[in-house]
Amino acid sequence: MKISQGVEWGLHCATLLALAPPDRVVRRDRLAAHYGLPEAYLAKHLQAMARAGVLHAVPGPRGGYRLGREAARITVLDVVEAVEGSTPPFLCQEIRQRGTGALPPDQCRRPCAIHATMTAADQAWRASLRTVTIADLVARLPAGVRERNEKIVS
Amino acid sequence: MKISQGVEWGLHCATLLALAPPDRVVRRDRLAAHYGLPEAYLAKHLQAMARAGVLHAVPGPRGGYRLGREAARITVLDVVEAVEGSTPPFLCQEIRQRGTGALPPDQCRRPCAIHATMTAADQAWRASLRTVTIADLVARLPAGVRERNEKIVS
């Protein structure tokens, strides 16, 4: 089980964009250079975030990205789901209905306890990620970093 | 992000083994046939569970598997970590220390808020999986399934 690198990239980019003045658009090559990321690969994740409404993409030679809404209304989960999708990581294959021990379909109308346990854990994970917003991440930047990055995106 | 099929297989096998009388060893080909699983691939996961102490492997022609300890002392998390490993799914690459915006190492002694948020969510996920044991899964088997499976592994 592994979370895509794009999640770290997307969260850092969103935190940086949150420091820009309203309506200020930051170019994609600048975001990539700031964090030393491969631009073409970062582009894929930024586009996914724009499709999810987390970012707003401005096309054209002076284009780039800004946040899609205020930072306090974007949760870490919003970014994670924009980049990773929202499919639960546990894909039940209903093996209880296979093989010599196969149960008949009428005994399998509800998810089994294993499936339910994995779903509950996934919900706990998402609930935890939903408690933190991009504004919270900005508030937790170390002293000095916020001011420095604000200048960079101003 | 995806959880290996082995987690579903391992949890179902552990639940089935929990129904066997104490010291009863169930053959690997029987476990594979019961759930219609490819035996060679299941073997890999059963071995990992044995290495983690979740199962006890008995070698030889009459060999097979039984639980490594009582079902009430094996959590779903034990099985998940035996099969998936316990490496957190979020691997921080410290991109804050890269590129044109690189922070000096002395400003990065502690994990950043992004890393801390992902770690907290991972802990919430593991805590949720730790609340359910194999004995709980057995207790939640539908009426009739427990008795039938008990006969199969008796």
Side-chain angles (χ1 to χ4, degrees):
Chain A
M1 202 174 50
K2 229 173 137 177
I3 292 174
S4 142
Q5 299 174 341
V7 166
E8 183 185 7
W9 302 2
L11 288 167
H12 274 290
C13 287
T15 307
L16 186 61
L17 292 174
L19 297 174
D23 295 324
R24 172 84 170 84
V25 165
V26 180
R27 272 168 44 192
R28 192 179 69 190
D29 58 353
R30 207 145 174 216
L31 288 170
H34 186 84
Y35 293 114
L37 303 174
E39 189 181 341
Y41 195 18
L42 175 64
K44 198 187 95 162
H45 298 302
L46 296 175
Q47 283 156 14
M49 289 164 71
R51 274 195 302 276
V54 166
L55 298 185
H56 179 75
V58 176
R62 309 201 69 184
Y65 289 91
R66 55 179 171 78
L67 290 189
R69 54 184 183 268
E70 39 175 330
R73 288 178 51 234
I74 302 172
T75 69
V76 170
L77 182 64
D78 292 331
V79 176
V80 170
E81 291 192 337
V83 172
E84 282 280 353
S86 48
T87 310
F90 179 77
L91 291 171
C92 176
Q93 295 186 310
E94 287 285 330
I95 66 168
R96 62 179 170 165
Q97 297 193 53
R98 286 160 40 175
T100 55
L103 297 176
D106 67 297
Q107 285 192 44
C108 300
R109 286 206 194 102
R110 299 177 56 186
C112 78
I114 291 170
H115 189 166
T117 301
M118 297 306 294
T119 300
D122 183 57
Q123 285 167 349
W125 183 73
R126 285 173 210 274
S128 177
L129 294 177
R130 205 181 282 119
T131 62
V132 181
T133 67
I134 300 301
D136 296 326
L137 296 179
V138 168
R140 292 181 210 166
L141 285 172
V145 175
R146 183 191 173 126
E147 292 69 19
R148 193 201 64 163
N149 283 355
E150 259 170 358
K151 273 184 209 151
I152 287 171
V153 294
S154 68
Chain B
M1 201 173 49
K2 227 170 140 179
I3 292 174
S4 140
Q5 298 174 341
V7 166
E8 183 185 9
W9 300 3
L11 287 167
H12 275 289
C13 286
T15 307
L16 186 61
L17 291 173
L19 297 174
D23 295 326
R24 173 83 169 86
V25 165
V26 180
R27 272 169 42 192
R28 192 179 69 192
D29 59 352
R30 205 142 177 220
L31 288 170
H34 185 84
Y35 293 115
L37 303 174
E39 189 180 341
Y41 195 18
L42 175 64
K44 198 186 95 161
H45 297 302
L46 296 174
Q47 284 156 14
M49 289 164 72
R51 275 194 301 277
V54 167
L55 299 185
H56 178 76
V58 176
R62 310 200 69 185
Y65 289 91
R66 56 178 170 78
L67 290 188
R69 54 184 182 269
E70 38 175 330
R73 289 178 51 232
I74 301 172
T75 68
V76 170
L77 182 64
D78 292 331
V79 176
V80 170
E81 292 192 338
V83 172
E84 282 279 353
S86 49
T87 309
F90 179 76
L91 291 171
C92 176
Q93 295 185 311
E94 285 286 331
I95 65 168
R96 62 180 171 164
Q97 297 192 53
R98 284 160 42 175
T100 56
L103 297 177
D106 66 295
Q107 286 192 44
C108 299
R109 287 207 193 100
R110 299 176 58 185
C112 78
I114 290 170
H115 189 165
T117 301
M118 298 306 294
T119 301
D122 184 56
Q123 286 167 348
W125 184 74
R126 285 173 210 275
S128 177
L129 294 177
R130 206 181 281 120
T131 61
V132 181
T133 68
I134 299 301
D136 295 327
L137 295 179
V138 168
R140 292 182 208 163
L141 285 172
V145 175
R146 182 190 173 127
E147 291 69 18
R148 194 201 62 163
N149 283 355
E150 259 170 358
K151 272 184 211 151
I152 287 171
V153 293
S154 67

